[in-house]
Amino acid sequence: MWKATLKSIRGHKGRVVATAAAVILGISFLAGTLIFTSSVQRAFDNLFATVFETTDAQIRSTETIEVGFGVEVRSRIDDSLVADVAAVDGVEAVEGFVQGTATVIGSDGEPIGNPGQGPPTFGLSWGEDPELNQFTLSDGRAPAGPGEMALDDTTATAGDLSVGDQVTVLTSTGSNTFELVGIARFGTSGSLGGATSALFELGEAQRVLGADGQLDGIGIRAADGVSEQEIVDLVSSVLPAQVEAITGTEATEEAQSAIADGLSFFNIFLTAFAVIAIFVSAFVIANTFSILIAQRTREFALLRALGASRDQVLGSVFTEALIIGIVGSLLGVGLGIVLSLGLRAMLAAFGLELPSGGLIVWSEMPRIVIISLVLGTIVTIASALFPAIRAARIAPVEAMRESAAETWQRNRVRFLVGLAIVLIGAAAIAYGLLAPEIQWAGIGAGLMFIGVFVLGPTIARPISRWLGAPIAALRGTTGKLARDNSMRNPQRTARTASALTIGVALVAGVTVLASSLAATIEDTVAEGFTGDFAIDSGAFGPGGGFSPALTAEIAELPEVETATGIRVGLGEIEGDGDFFSVVDPDTAFEVFDIGLFEGGPETMTDDAIFLLDDRAESLGVELGDTVSVRFVDGGDRDLTVAGLYTEPALAGNQAISTSLYEATGAEQLDFASFVILRDGVEIEDARTSILSVAEAYPNAEVQDRDEYIESQSEGLNQILGLIYALLILAIVIAAFGIANTLRLSTIERTREIGLLRAVGMTRGQVQSTIRWEAVITALFGAMLGVILGLFFGYAIIYALRDQGVTRFDVPILQLVIVVVLAAIVGLLASIVPSVRASRLNVLEAIAS
């Protein structure tokens, strides 16, 4: 049997290639993801190891606020510590440094970078000690005092800026203009992971970034013969409370860990799509093996007649699956290298520049190859399991059959089993989203797809009749033949459509979710925002926004009744890091309705906090109770719950006053300002006045109420585009599955096609029949996919109802487009099989 199996593989290379292609496509995305993520992490690890190579120790505050994914704010220390540390025996050199948010304006007048949807925009001090400075000059000189600055290489190129140019920089202290005197590189890279870095002399950096008399840290270079740990022990004796010294090695490891945390969501995101690709591939592999087993009925029956046992036939199929799995997985790793290049380009398109370095981390390749090989082989063998069992049950008498076609009978048990699996999957999704135990939601989605796969053949015949009716009416004989072929073997039709069902379900679900989120955001903002204008920075959260000076200037305009700025701060509430909305109680509640049902503007004092009603419930507090809050300055504050509200989309989980947040020493940036006009002021007249003020802040976009409401959902488009781009792989695999099935089915129907050609059917009619059959199959898969996608979308929206997402919006036009595109995918997948079928030799086909 071993020799017979190998001979069968060598004699049917096309069959092996057809099956292995699905393995290659699925494994390639997994391997590409593993190669890409390991190369990115290694590149950053090497970069920071180089940057901190000559730093022996670092001094910093111990007070931090962290909310996950690398988002962390650390309090500052007094710059008088520099002199104290420099006086310690064993210290060769010290360098204080400060960093903050700074937006650089390019030569075209537009801000460089977008911290709301990409890497941060930093303002940093330039280090005078070359060995402690993380940047090295590539052009010009170092900034030496007021009015001078340097830029990282990538930012200068992006902004078309050169040494000698006058550059506008926006910070929390306002808009400033500097002479660009130098261009530098971060270690061996043009920038710090795509971040914009505006570099100033230390004193100027403190002034521009609002850090007078303060530092974010101090770098230390030890004297010869003094180790890292020894210098840490020596300087620790002069440090006050809440200030610590760490070794350069620890600083390197923390920087590397922060990058890993920042990239973790992206890595998880890519891995999820790799799993989807493999899942879709499994359906294609199972479908291909099922058709091949049906076509090899006589072959297996002859083997049984010659004395082969059922176990030997079973082992033969598994051996073939094993070989295909191993070869396909190895080739998938090769294609994964190419895909990793595409992932690198995609990341660059989102503004994240990767440090220079090799694409492949060769030390990681054995691990990647083993994971890909094991997973690809297991998936292939598992996908071949049921077809192999079917092959082992073939009786010797089947050798006398003339036809190799699959047989199908309606099976009530199959219908009930498939329906049960679908219902169990739906229950698992509900539990996973409501518990929340997200892994159960993933398991449930997989079960639903499997249930539809089992259920599909029992419903394929009536649905194919319905879908094919218009085609039969419009295309005549070829349309009727296409419909009849789809109905004749509903099992093959359902299996062929299964992979496309998965891809369409995911696309439809994401589309419904995005549309519902956009509708919810627009409704919430429309109901809660009562102002006339919004000035939006495009950023949300720490590290983005514009100076509160802009809001103050707009408030002074004669056309303006009220102007209020909104900020986002970080803090810990009862020990858990979270974001805070920061508002001016004297003006904010005139512009926004956040559903405040307890308390009022007058109760938001400097020792008060407003909580979302659900947040208060989770904390177990009521109006008048106190909660422990810690901000970046390290001071613990007991704040009184002085207000409760119901709209999280506008105020988040908790809100505090601007005066309270300013007292914490955190960087103060408005992510947006909102305006109410005086009675009788025309919108366009006010727009002109507001634009004249905002002109000095190019990162501020002036929008009237309608424009602002409409723009709030635009941020979803970028995320949606990324998801669609990754789902294309699943659609490509599904298209390949359709093409593969059609190719194999034409082999199965060789004699039939020959007879049709003999009685007068033209080549064009043969091609038309097969293409319309592919369209019916694709429409069947798309219809099931849309139904599943609607369910998935609704389930997620329902689970998010406590987060303020209450609108379930079905984008009819987008879903119709998805179905039409699915039909086009089926049409394209049929081109090669239909042409091949039309070129069959009539006499040879009849004799087949």
Side-chain angles (χ1 to χ4, degrees):
M1 284 300 296
W2 170 250
K3 291 181 180 179
T5 301
L6 293 180
K7 192 169 184 179
S8 175
I9 292 174
R10 289 196 298 268
H12 300 86
K13 297 183 180 65
R15 182 179 73 204
V16 174
V17 171
T19 312
V23 184
I24 294 169
L25 289 173
I27 292 299
S28 65
F29 197 81
L30 172 67
T33 297
L34 294 174
I35 291 169
F36 174 74
T37 53
S38 63
S39 65
V40 170
Q41 188 61 53
R42 180 62 61 88
F44 276 111
D45 287 351
N46 291 340
L47 175 64
F48 284 112
T50 302
V51 165
F52 290 106
E53 186 176 8
T54 56
T55 299
D56 294 309
Q58 214 179 74
I59 293 173
R60 66 196 187 172
S61 170
T62 58
E63 301 295 338
T64 62
I65 302 295
E66 185 175 358
V67 294
F69 291 114
V71 179
E72 178 185 81
V73 176
R74 189 179 295 273
S75 64
R76 286 172 170 154
I77 59 178
D78 196 281
D79 63 4
S80 63
L81 278 176
V82 172
D84 297 337
V85 172
V88 174
D89 290 337
V91 173
E92 181 70 20
V94 294
E95 188 83 74
F97 61 88
V98 64
Q99 72 176 45
T101 301
T103 301
V104 179
I105 308 303
S107 60
D108 59 356
E110 296 296 323
I112 303 172
N114 182 358
Q117 298 179 356
T121 53
F122 288 132
L124 303 164
S125 59
W126 178 269
E128 294 183 3
D129 188 296
E131 295 188 45
L132 292 174
N133 192 353
Q134 299 173 350
F135 289 87
T136 55
L137 284 170
S138 58
D139 189 19
R141 60 176 178 82
E148 295 183 351
M149 69 172 296
L151 281 175
D152 67 272
D153 202 336
T154 301
T155 301
T157 301
D160 193 22
L161 299 169
S162 304
V163 171
D165 289 347
Q166 295 294 308
V167 181
T168 299
V169 181
L170 310 177
T171 68
S172 62
T173 58
S175 177
N176 299 271
T177 301
F178 301 89
E179 179 186 358
L180 181 61
V181 299
I183 296 175
R185 297 180 62 81
F186 183 83
T188 59
S189 179
S191 71
L192 174 52
T196 298
S197 298
L199 304 160
F200 311 93
E201 178 270 333
L202 178 59
E204 182 74 337
Q206 290 175 309
R207 181 190 70 81
V208 171
L209 301 175
D212 290 331
Q214 295 180 310
L215 298 171
D216 284 289
I218 301 172
I220 301 173
R221 184 160 51 86
D224 292 340
V226 180
S227 69
E228 286 187 349
Q229 190 58 54
E230 287 173 340
I231 198 64
V232 164
D233 295 338
L234 289 170
V235 300
S236 295
S237 61
V238 301
L239 300 180
Q242 284 78 50
V243 177
E244 66 176 356
I246 61 172
T247 65
T249 299
E250 290 172 331
T252 300
E253 291 173 351
E254 286 190 8
Q256 293 168 342
S257 177
I259 286 291
D261 289 343
L263 292 173
S264 61
F265 177 79
F266 189 76
N267 295 345
I268 293 170
F269 189 70
L270 291 178
T271 302
F273 280 93
V275 172
I276 290 171
I278 293 172
F279 190 66
V280 175
S281 298
F283 279 81
V284 174
I285 296 166
N287 188 30
T288 303
F289 266 103
S290 294
I291 295 174
L292 290 174
I293 295 302
Q295 292 178 356
R296 297 167 66 189
T297 298
R298 295 186 68 185
E299 175 188 333
F300 289 129
L302 284 171
L303 289 172
R304 291 294 315 283
L306 292 173
S309 66
R310 288 186 174 184
D311 288 342
Q312 285 177 312
V313 173
L314 185 68
S316 175
V317 177
F318 274 140
T319 299
E320 186 170 333
L322 176 64
I323 293 172
I324 290 173
I326 292 173
V327 174
S329 298
L330 292 175
L331 293 175
V333 173
L335 182 58
I337 295 174
V338 178
L339 283 179
S340 65
L341 288 171
L343 291 172
R344 178 184 284 262
M346 182 177 66
L347 200 62
F350 278 80
L352 184 56
E353 182 207 9
L354 302 181
S356 57
L359 172 66
I360 303 175
V361 182
W362 291 107
S363 61
E364 292 291 315
M365 283 304 293
R367 178 182 68 90
I368 294 171
V369 171
I370 290 172
I371 291 174
S372 302
L373 190 62
V374 170
L375 187 59
T377 304
I378 289 175
V379 168
T380 305
I381 293 176
S383 301
L385 176 62
F386 289 108
I389 293 174
R390 194 180 311 127
R393 291 175 177 172
I394 294 174
V397 72
E398 294 290 327
M400 294 185 292
R401 286 186 55 186
E402 291 190 11
S403 174
E406 287 185 271
T407 59
W408 167 251
Q409 295 179 344
R410 184 177 298 277
N411 190 326
R412 182 175 298 177
V413 173
R414 186 187 186 103
F415 177 83
L416 294 175
V417 170
L419 184 61
I421 295 174
V422 168
L423 294 176
I424 293 171
I429 290 175
Y431 174 75
L433 293 175
L434 298 176
E437 295 286 344
I438 196 64
Q439 67 272 17
W440 282 102
I443 293 172
L447 286 174
M448 287 197 70
F449 285 127
I450 293 172
V452 169
F453 180 75
V454 174
L455 192 63
T458 67
I459 60 176
R461 187 189 298 274
I463 293 178
S464 294
R465 179 184 290 112
W466 175 70
L467 291 172
I471 297 174
L474 293 173
R475 301 300 300 173
T477 301
T478 58
K480 291 177 182 177
L481 284 172
R483 181 192 61 186
D484 291 345
N485 283 335
S486 299
M487 294 169 54
R488 183 174 60 183
N489 196 328
Q491 188 171 20
R492 183 180 64 216
T493 299
R495 285 199 308 245
T496 305
S498 58
L500 188 61
T501 296
I502 299 172
V504 171
L506 295 173
V507 171
V510 169
T511 302
V512 169
L513 176 61
S515 180
S516 300
L517 289 175
T520 298
I521 292 171
E522 291 179 5
D523 288 351
T524 302
V525 176
E527 293 173 5
F529 176 37
T530 59
D532 300 297
F533 275 95
I535 298 88
D536 190 8
S537 70
F540 183 84
F546 45 72
S547 170
L550 173 58
T551 304
E553 292 177 43
I554 291 175
E556 296 299 321
L557 292 173
E559 296 89 350
V560 173
E561 176 71 27
T562 302
T564 190
I566 308 294
R567 304 170 200 174
V568 177
L570 283 179
E572 287 184 357
I573 180 167
E574 297 295 343
D576 294 326
D578 206 345
F579 294 102
F580 287 71
S581 291
V582 182
V583 301
D584 182 351
D586 295 332
T587 56
F589 297 102
E590 298 178 31
V591 182
F592 282 109
D593 178 8
I594 62 172
L596 190 65
F597 64 91
E598 293 285 359
E602 71 283 353
T603 65
M604 183 177 272
T605 60
D606 288 356
D607 59 357
I609 186 172
F610 282 19
L611 295 176
L612 181 70
D613 52 355
D614 290 340
R615 177 63 159 158
E617 183 179 350
S618 67
L619 292 172
V621 297
E622 299 177 347
L623 193 72
D625 292 343
T626 60
V627 293
S628 177
V629 178
R630 186 170 67 89
F631 295 104
V632 70
D633 61 356
D636 291 323
R637 294 170 170 81
D638 290 329
L639 301 183
T640 301
V641 180
L644 298 172
Y645 56 89
T646 60
E647 295 298 331
L650 296 175
N653 287 330
Q654 47 266 322
I656 58 174
S657 69
T658 51
S659 55
L660 167 58
Y661 197 62
E662 286 171 352
T664 68
E667 188 175 44
Q668 305 294 316
L669 290 166
D670 290 343
F671 79 84
S673 293
F674 303 94
V675 177
I676 295 178
L677 302 178
R678 294 186 185 277
D679 292 339
V681 176
E682 296 293 332
I683 289 290
E684 292 308 314
D685 292 339
R687 188 193 300 271
T688 301
S689 297
I690 295 172
L691 283 171
S692 67
V693 175
E695 186 177 5
Y697 300 85
N699 64 337
E701 181 180 3
V702 177
Q703 301 170 314
D704 62 34
R705 185 175 186 276
D706 292 339
E707 292 169 340
Y708 178 71
I709 292 172
E710 185 177 349
S711 70
Q712 291 311 289
S713 60
E714 291 178 356
L716 293 173
N717 294 336
Q718 187 178 29
I719 299 174
L720 199 61
L722 176 61
I723 293 174
Y724 283 158
L726 294 172
L727 284 175
I728 285 175
L729 182 66
I731 302 297
V732 168
I733 297 173
F736 170 80
I738 294 174
N740 198 28
T741 302
L742 288 173
R743 188 186 70 83
L744 294 171
S745 68
T746 58
I747 296 173
E748 170 191 307
R749 305 202 308 260
T750 297
R751 189 175 186 185
E752 172 191 327
I753 294 170
L755 288 171
L756 290 172
R757 292 278 284 118
V759 298
M761 177 176 271
T762 65
R763 287 184 174 181
Q765 287 176 317
V766 171
Q767 293 181 25
S768 179
T769 299
I770 293 175
R771 288 173 183 172
W772 284 116
E773 181 182 348
V775 170
I776 292 172
T777 301
L779 288 175
F780 174 71
M783 187 190 71
L784 292 181
V786 168
I787 293 172
L788 285 174
L790 287 171
F791 172 77
F792 292 155
Y794 178 80
I796 296 173
I797 294 300
Y798 183 82
L800 293 176
R801 68 193 187 284
D802 291 339
Q803 305 301 318
V805 182
T806 56
R807 175 85 174 267
F808 178 65
D809 186 75
V810 180
I812 301 295
L813 178 60
Q814 289 93 322
L815 294 180
V816 169
I817 292 174
V818 168
V819 173
V820 171
L821 290 176
I824 293 174
V825 166
L827 192 62
L828 293 175
S830 70
I831 292 176
V832 174
S834 65
V835 171
R836 182 184 182 281
S838 69
R839 292 177 178 176
L840 289 174
N841 183 283
V842 176
L843 294 178
E844 291 179 357
I846 293 174
S848 173

